[in-house]
Amino acid sequence: MAGGRMKDFVDKYEDRIHGVLSCFDRMLFRGYLPIMSGWAMAEFLNSLDLRFNNLKPLLMENAQRVKEHALAMATQHHRPYEYLRGKIRMEDTAQQIAKRDGITEGLVCIFSIVQPCRSFSFRFEKGRPFVQSAKRKCLAMYFYFIDADFGLIHVRLQTWFPMEIQVYLNGHEWMARKLTANGIGYTKLDKAFTWIEDIERAQTFSNRFQGLNWPAILDRYALRVNPQLQDILRGRQYYWVTTQSEYSTDILFKNRQALIELYPKPLSHSIQCFGAPEVMNFLGRKLRGNFEGEIVSDLSSYVCRRMGGMRIKHRVKENWIKMYDKSALVLRVETVINSPEEFKVRKCVTRKGESQTEWVAMRKGVAYLFRYREVSMLANASYLNALAVVDDPTAAKRDLDRVTSRKKDASRRPCPGFNPMARHDSDLFRAVINGEHSLKGFTNRDIRRKLETTPQFKTWDKDPKKQSSRVSRILRKFHAHGLIAKISRTRSWKVTAYGNRVMATAIYLRDSDFHRVYALRAA
């Protein structure tokens, strides 16, 4: 099901496409006990009524207890336990062990390895011991399971307090099991679906992933691997957060040749046309003068299990959006969120003793998975929408004629056409299509602010009311040409899919392509 703003891209290549599926991919969840701070850990140790000289033996004893618990699990289920002294691909090794031993559910294997961790240290002030957080190295246990619902997952538990835990799973593996349980046929290759019998039902299932009872699911595995939850940590529950979320939109092509012929074109367009403003636009961010951080786009090759390919990744701080092909059958656009604080969520908050709904910074708690999906879906759709301008001369010429022709507004007043190559209109396009407007739209005041640095603004009357009237006439012209649309019950406007295509193309031609073609003609 091709939802939202990606419909233009899908409609354009519908003769080559089997369908579209948006789904969570790699997911990393992390659990924190309420003993993460030095103060909380000190309170916990005091509750055990221990003397300071007994603390270290207790901590070492509990670390050893986790290791012995893992060894006992491996022995009970007749599964391998291995201490790793070098680097290996643990997931691949676990898959090989599961396949070799015919494991379809339950414990597959356990790996242990020394890794950096967040733990505690003790210091003395005025002759008294204090607990403070510290970065150390400790033994980490990796438990690999095949879950009936999620397929191969791993649970990582550090053996030292505060016993941070991590759970990895893949949304596509969950989807495969849902399809099988509901009798829907599919083919899957390298964690990507290449064909689905009923893709609309599959999308319906995918939309339910965010609403699963994640605390209960994750707590179940925490209880299996952490023996202390049965006694000294009884009553203390993990608080679960989403450490990393990957949400992909897969365009399933009917055959390899169709994607092989097409893929170089959107890839080239992404490299040449998607600069910092466009990348910020995809992620729904505002590019301000005081922005601190990196916006990086890079092109790299990668090798999957079956064949290599090219991938482009656009990174804004710790979040990014990337595009690549999977086995030359699936075009994947994927948004990865590591720092949700960069995005907003609508939430009820208390201000001066009164409850009100506001846009606030999004948090990592698993309760916000619904917003992770919304943000990622919008980013993926915006990216594909921006690629809809690639290599379609018939539609492009029709749209060019449309934007340059004279139109009439709702009151039948004439509105002249635009000149996409003129600086005057190019500046207007930049102001309207700016990335900071992608989520909430823009107002008359926003456009005036964007035009303040342009040459045409210097010729305007200095009276703010007259400037506002002038921008209103400009917006009327944009609306008459179908480039923007009014957001109902507000004073804000939004860019239409058609407007996004036309204005983005006009800006690209003026900035990036005109000088090249001009030089060729001059030669």
Side-chain angles (χ1 to χ4, degrees), residues 26-291:
R26 287 173 50 89
M27 303 293 295
L28 276 177
F29 300 102
R30 195 162 289 167
Y32 298 103
L33 287 167
I35 53 173
M36 295 301 296
S37 67
W39 177 86
M41 185 64 184
E43 287 291 308
F44 167 68
L45 295 174
N46 286 335
S47 71
L48 299 178
D49 196 23
L50 292 170
R51 299 193 174 201
F52 178 71
N53 56 1
N54 293 329
L55 291 179
K56 186 173 181 180
L58 171 75
L59 300 177
M60 299 305 294
E61 175 188 329
N62 276 274
Q64 181 64 23
R65 185 180 171 191
V66 174
K67 180 179 177 181
E68 291 175 353
H69 177 72
L71 286 167
M73 283 183 64
T75 302
Q76 177 186 354
H77 296 281
H78 307 288
R79 303 311 309 145
Y81 172 96
E82 183 180 353
Y83 173 72
L84 302 179
R85 290 179 171 81
K87 290 184 178 181
I88 67 168
R89 293 183 62 88
M90 287 188 278
E91 183 180 351
D92 291 346
T93 304
Q95 285 179 335
Q96 294 167 7
I97 292 173
K99 184 177 181 180
R100 181 195 69 193
D101 298 343
I103 305 298
T104 57
E105 189 172 347
L107 183 66
V108 175
C109 60
I110 302 174
F111 297 123
S112 62
I113 186 172
V114 175
Q115 291 181 328
C117 72
R118 177 183 174 184
S119 188
F120 300 103
S121 65
F122 298 95
R123 61 184 175 87
F124 284 85
E125 282 189 9
K126 299 178 181 180
R128 297 182 59 189
F130 286 82
V131 182
Q132 65 180 9
S133 296
K135 292 183 178 180
R136 296 182 175 276
K137 285 188 175 182
C138 76
L139 191 69
M141 315 299 298
Y142 282 81
F143 301 80
Y144 279 85
F145 298 93
I146 291 185
D147 185 272
D149 295 322
F150 298 101
L152 184 68
I153 71 171
H154 84 238
V155 182
R156 176 191 181 275
L157 177 67
Q158 72 176 52
T159 56
W160 286 10
F161 282 103
M163 309 195 78
E164 183 181 295
I165 192 171
Q166 174 180 286
V167 178
Y168 158 84
L169 54 89
N170 192 289
H172 284 91
E173 294 298 321
W174 174 83
M175 173 64 70
R177 282 158 175 75
K178 291 293 289 184
L179 296 178
T180 299
N182 286 272
I184 300 175
Y186 66 88
T187 56
K188 189 160 97 32
L189 192 63
D190 192 31
K191 294 183 180 177
F193 295 99
T194 57
W195 173 81
I196 299 177
E197 182 180 13
D198 189 340
I199 206 160
E200 290 193 4
R201 283 192 70 194
Q203 186 63 60
T204 301
F205 294 143
S206 174
N207 296 343
R208 297 173 184 169
F209 184 88
Q210 67 194 36
L212 298 178
N213 188 351
W214 287 108
I217 294 169
L218 300 170
D219 280 341
R220 185 172 73 246
Y221 278 100
L223 287 168
R224 291 187 68 175
V225 304
N226 189 344
Q228 280 87 339
L229 292 174
Q230 306 294 337
D231 40 59
I232 65 172
L233 290 173
R234 184 184 296 274
R236 290 177 168 84
Q237 290 185 313
Y238 280 102
Y239 174 71
W240 293 100
V241 303
T242 307
T243 300
Q244 184 180 84
S245 162
E246 294 185 356
Y247 190 86
S248 65
T249 296
D250 290 352
I251 312 294
L252 283 57
F253 281 75
K254 295 178 179 177
N255 56 70
R256 281 196 170 92
Q257 189 61 31
L259 181 54
I260 289 173
E261 291 177 351
L262 172 65
Y263 185 55
K265 298 169 185 176
L267 187 67
S268 176
H269 185 81
S270 299
I271 297 166
Q272 296 181 36
C273 305
F274 296 162
E278 288 76 20
V279 174
M280 293 290 277
N281 179 19
F282 300 141
L283 293 174
R285 293 290 315 283
K286 296 181 179 181
L287 185 58
R288 300 182 183 275
N290 61 354
F291 174 79

Side-chain angles (χ1 to χ4, degrees), residues 24 26-28 242-247 283 316 318-322 334-343 362-364 368-377 379-380:
F24 280 101
R26 287 173 50 89
M27 303 293 295
L28 276 177
T242 307
T243 300
Q244 184 180 84
S245 162
E246 294 185 356
Y247 190 86
L283 293 174
V316 179
E318 298 302 318
N319 304 314
W320 58 81
I321 184 168
K322 55 187 176 180
E334 189 168 65
T335 297
V336 181
I337 298 178
N338 294 293
S339 299
E341 298 84 1
E342 301 293 327
F343 303 101
M362 187 164 69
R363 300 301 181 187
K364 287 191 173 185
Y368 293 106
L369 266 183
F370 77 95
R371 183 58 178 163
Y372 275 73
R373 177 181 174 272
E374 290 175 353
V375 169
S376 301
M377 174 73 86
N380 293 349

